[in-house]
Amino acid sequence: MGSNNNVCFGDEESQLSGGNNRVQPYSSTPKKSIIDDEGKKQNFLSLSQRLGVPDFFSLDVWRASMGELLGSAVLVFMVDTIVISTSESDTKMSNLIMSILIAIVLTILLLAVVPVSGGHLNPVISFSAALVGIISMSRAIIYIVAQCLGAVLGALALKAVVSSTIDETFSLGGCTITVIAPGPNGPVTLGLETAQALWLEIFCTFVLLFASIWMAYDHRQAKALGLVTVLSIVGLVLGLLVFISTTVTAKRGYAGVGMNPARCLGPAIVRGGHLWDGHWIFWIGPTISCVAFYVYTKIIPPKHFHAEYGYKHDFVGVVKALFGSNV
């Protein structure tokens, strides 16, 4: 079923064809032939097929990953530039301006990369899509590595064009939980507590998956809304979450939720220092959210997901194949 779905955030061969605004009727009584065919396909897939091991040897997959690499590089360069420029300005509600600009940039980049690789640009999307089964875990690993390398390249490009003062003052626009600042009685630590930052990361990443990425995973809904609409909603929701996280906390030193571990990793590798403090939060938090979102997709009635027989790379299917179960 995976290869036939018109889903965004899948692979480069399974993208939705925008422009169709008609919602097709859904039958709650599937045809028996479909059940039989899908059942046979799912039951006799080997562990290697479930994991998508052949993707490691597919030139097309590696070529598609270049879209993820370059897209992530541009994303980090643009987003971190926005973070620095809005933080440096004296404009009121700078976090609102920052959120709007990030939403616009993300939407444009998604539209550019979707035809090439599926437009993930984020380990959260790749890992979540692999759990659900839209792409294989092997493809997800390739994409995540490409995204991380791209993030490093983007951070290097930014470091090359900003002054050392801006680099030190704004930490290359990276993800920070706390910063050390001069105080009346010596240096003081400003920012959020670890638990607060972790919960914010978990909640906001889950909302991102639930409120926007879900539309892309459901091929019928994605096709009905159209490519531009779906990706615009993704960008809008992410921008809103950035605004909410920076407004609710309103604490100097905390840069807001990451929701993209690769974007946080790039500046941390290039800039180093305090960017590594609490860096694990930007990986563990989204990972928990992805697992929680996957559990949610297994709890709701299958007809609401429109993937009632499961994608062939679905995590439960991988586990069953691992233990030799045909159930």
Side-chain angles (χ1 to χ4, degrees), residues 4 60 64 112 175 187 201 211 244 270 277:
N4 295 326
D60 287 341
C175 305
E201 202 70 30
I244 290 171
V270 174
D277 296 340

Side-chain angles (χ1 to χ4, degrees), residues 284-306:
I284 300 301
T287 299
I288 294 173
S289 299
C290 288
V291 173
F293 179 74
Y294 174 69
V295 171
Y296 166 75
T297 66
K298 305 304 287 186
I299 292 175
I300 63 173
K303 65 180 181 181
H304 294 307
F305 189 19
H306 307 301

Side-chain angles (χ1 to χ4, degrees), residues 251-312:
K251 286 193 175 182
R252 183 186 172 192
Y254 177 59
V257 290
M259 294 182 289
N260 187 333
R263 190 192 82 77
C264 297
L265 180 66
I269 290 178
V270 174
R271 177 72 174 79
H274 69 280
L275 287 178
W276 287 114
D277 296 340
H279 179 76
W280 61 271
I281 290 173
F282 300 110
W283 288 90
I284 300 301
T287 299
I288 294 173
S289 299
C290 288
V291 173
F293 179 74
Y294 174 69
V295 171
Y296 166 75
T297 66
K298 305 304 287 186
I299 292 175
I300 63 173
K303 65 180 181 181
H304 294 307
F305 189 19
H306 307 301
E308 55 266 52
Y309 307 112
Y311 293 111
K312 68 177 181 179

